[in-house]
Amino acid sequence: MNNFLEVVWINIFYNIVSILIGLIVLSFGIIKIIKEKKLLFPIICIVHSILFIAFGILGFFVPEEYSFIPILAILAFVITLIVFFLTVGKKEKQ
């Protein structure tokens, strides 16, 4: 029974962190649109933030045996956002 509670609390932690990261990235994307008139990287940030928030909320409703799917999706979003930041984000500054 203790293992069940640990898994649930860890999933709740990842879901809440995903929603918080989504809100931070969303505010970053909106600020970039306001400050700089370039749209490619801020739109990528906004799309990723919507995905973070959606999968963070979805993680609360996924059955326990499939709880790894939202966590892996969140990890994939982090990796793709880092890749876009290193490639597209740096090109726009130059």
Side-chain angles (χ1 to χ4, degrees):
M1 190 69 170
N2 285 337
N3 290 335
F4 172 74
L5 292 176
E6 287 177 13
V7 171
V8 171
W9 285 109
I10 289 173
N11 289 341
I12 290 173
F13 170 75
Y14 284 128
N15 295 335
I16 291 173
V17 168
S18 174
I19 293 170
L20 290 175
I21 289 173
L23 292 173
I24 291 169
V25 173
L26 180 67
S27 63
F28 176 75
I30 291 172
I31 289 171
K32 288 290 254 185
I33 286 177
I34 292 171
K35 284 187 177 181
E36 302 170 7
K37 299 301 179 191
K38 298 177 181 171
L39 293 176
L40 179 63
F41 184 65
I43 289 176
I44 291 171
C45 287
I46 291 172
V47 168
H48 274 83
S49 68
I50 292 170
L51 289 172
F52 276 123
I53 293 170
F55 273 85
I57 293 171
L58 178 72
F60 289 113
F61 301 106
V62 173
E64 184 184 354
E65 60 266 7
Y66 300 117
S67 63
F68 65 93
I69 294 173
I71 295 172
L72 290 178
I74 291 166
L75 179 65
F77 300 146
V78 168
I79 292 170
T80 57
L81 187 61
I82 290 171
V83 168
F84 278 123
F85 178 74
L86 292 176
T87 57
V88 177
K90 297 294 182 179
K91 286 183 182 177
E92 287 189 358
K93 287 185 178 182
Q94 295 176 353

